[in-house]
Amino acid sequence: MKPLVKMFLLLLLPVVAMGQNFNVDSLKNALKTAPTDSVAFNLNIQLDDYYKERNRDTALYYLEKCFVLALRNN
């Protein structure tokens, strides 16, 4: 019985791991209309987190935008 439970939990792991799913398009739209630099900074960080393992070039693009915002606001 124990091996069956372990097998079930092992097969359930990918479903649990994909639990945090957010819409990237909504983040990009919110970034276009960000009212303050701090909101834009946080949205860029969230987009960077999303793209870190999917597309590193895009993740670096959003980090560079964060860097520019940080320099502008000291």
Side-chain angles (χ1 to χ4, degrees):
M1 184 67 181
K2 279 190 176 185
L4 185 62
V5 172
K6 288 180 183 179
M7 177 84 79
F8 176 73
L9 290 176
L10 186 63
L11 292 174
L12 188 64
L13 184 63
V15 174
V16 174
M18 296 301 289
Q20 287 187 335
N21 188 11
F22 57 90
N23 194 354
V24 177
D25 292 333
S26 65
L27 287 176
K28 289 180 182 179
N29 289 336
L31 184 60
K32 289 178 187 175
T33 61
T36 63
D37 285 344
S38 62
V39 172
F41 184 86
N42 288 331
L43 289 170
N44 281 317
I45 291 292
Q46 289 178 5
L47 285 165
D48 168 63
D49 286 341
Y50 177 78
Y51 284 114
K52 264 182 195 167
E53 296 299 325
R54 290 169 178 84
N55 188 347
R56 292 187 191 266
D57 290 339
T58 306
L60 285 174
Y61 169 76
Y62 288 111
L63 276 181
E64 287 175 7
K65 288 177 73 174
C66 286
F67 183 67
V68 170
L69 287 170
L71 287 177
R72 187 177 356 163
N73 293 309
N74 291 327

